Amino acid sequence: MREIKGIHHVTAIAGPAQENLDFYAGVLGLRLVKKSVNQDDPGTYHLFYADAEGHPGTDLTFFPWAQMAPSRDGYGLSSEVSLTVPPGSLNFWSERLERYGATTGAAEVRFGQDALPVIDPHGLHVALVESKDLLSRAFTPWDGSPIPVEHQIRGLESARLVERDLVVTTSFLSNAMGFQHIGTEGEWHRYGLMAHSEGLAAASPGHVEAYSSGQYVDVRETPTAQRGAWGIGSIHHIAWRVADGAHQLEMRGRVTKEGARPTPVIDRFWFKSVYFLEPGGVLFELATDGPGFAVDEDRAHLGETLVLPPWLEPDRAAIEVQLPKLVMSNES
C-alpha cells in the first residue's frame, strides 16, 4: 500500500486580488505560476504561487473572495500554513517584512526549528520555518524573484490543525493516511510521514529530524472552542500528494474505509482532485502530481496571462469582464 507523499498545495481565502499578489509575489518573492479562476466560481481568480517551475509541494494558492467576511477562529479549521526557508534566513526575512510593514510575531522555536510567525495583509497566519533538509525536496529558484536565491522560500513546510477531539483526527491521520506521531511540544502534537522521507536516513518515530519539510502537520485540541468558519484570512483546504490516478483511487478507498465521504475524481486540468472532510472538519484534497502547470504554458512564461481549462474557454469573454486587472509588483 502506497502512502501519500506529503503536502501538494495549500489553498487559502484572500481579500482583494491585487493586494494578495503584491504580498506573495512582491514581498515574499514567490512566482505566480498560474493565473486562473476558481473552477466552481469562475468569476473569482485562483492564483497559484510556487517555485520557478511550480513543483508539487511548493504551491500556495488563493481564492480572492473580497466580499466575504473575515474568518472566525475555532476548531475544524487549519489555522496556519508554514513555508520553508533556508537555515540562517530569518534575520533577512524579519528585516524585509518589517521594511514592508508586515505584521510579524516574535521568533519561536518549534520542535527544534526556528520559526517566524507572520500575518498576511488579509489576516492569514503564515510562518517562515528554517529547515535543514532542503535537499529532500524538488525546488527550482526563480530568477525573477526580488529575493536572493540563498533566502528564497523553498516551498510548503507544514500546516497547523485545530480540532475539537485530538484522537478522532489523529487516528484518521494514522489509519487512513499513514501518519505517525513524532512528538508533543506544549499543546501541539506533530504527526509525520515516515514512508516518504525522500533521501533522509530512516529513523524511529520521535526523531523530528527524520521527517522532511512538507511531510508533517501539527494538531492542537480545543474541546471548549467554538466551531471555526471560513472567511478572508482562513485556509480553505490542504491538498496531499498522490503519484497518479491509481494511487489516488487507492487512497480514496482508504479514506472511505475510515469513514470519510470523498468526492468523485475531479479533473482540475493541471492535476486531478478528490476532496473530503477529515473527521474533525478540515477539508482535505488528494491531488495528483501531474500533469503539472507546464501542460498549457511555456515554463518561461508561467502565470503571465489568464489561463482557463479547456471547458471554460468558451466563456472566456464573460469571465474576463468579471475579473479585476492585475499588475505585477515591482518590489525589490
Side-chain angles (χ1 to χ4, degrees), residues 245-297:
H247 188 196
Q248 185 176 59
L249 291 176
E250 181 180 310
M251 289 303 306
R252 185 181 185 277
R254 289 177 62 177
V255 301
T256 301
K257 183 178 179 181
E258 293 299 324
R261 300 175 63 184
T263 66
V265 175
I266 300 172
D267 187 357
R268 296 303 191 192
F269 193 64
W270 308 291
F271 44 86
K272 293 185 178 180
S273 301
V274 169
Y275 301 88
F276 60 94
L277 296 174
E278 56 83 22
V282 179
L283 182 60
F284 282 177
E285 175 185 351
L286 303 171
T288 57
D289 275 356
F293 294 125
V295 70
D296 57 354
E297 289 186 291

Side-chain angles (χ1 to χ4, degrees), residues 26 84 90 101 110 143 145 160 173 247 264 328:
T84 305
L90 287 188
R110 302 177 177 180
D143 293 341
S145 176
R160 286 186 153 182
L173 288 174
H247 188 196
M328 287 299 298

Side-chain angles (χ1 to χ4, degrees), residues 31-36 45 48 142 297-307 326-328:
R31 185 180 188 186
L32 181 66
V33 293
K34 193 64 63 177
K35 180 166 61 174
S36 191
Y45 277 118
F48 297 74
W142 180 34
E297 289 186 291
D298 183 85
R299 291 185 189 276
H301 299 285
L302 293 175
E304 294 180 5
T305 60
L306 180 68
V307 175
L326 293 180
V327 179
M328 287 299 298

Side-chain angles (χ1 to χ4, degrees), residues 95-110:
E95 293 172 1
R96 180 174 177 82
L97 290 164
E98 181 179 2
R99 188 185 339 140
Y100 286 102
T103 301
T104 59
E108 303 175 10
V109 178
R110 302 177 177 180

Side-chain angles (χ1 to χ4, degrees), residues 48-61:
F48 297 74
Y49 304 95
D51 72 345
E53 296 190 41
H55 284 110
T58 70
D59 191 12
L60 180 59
T61 93

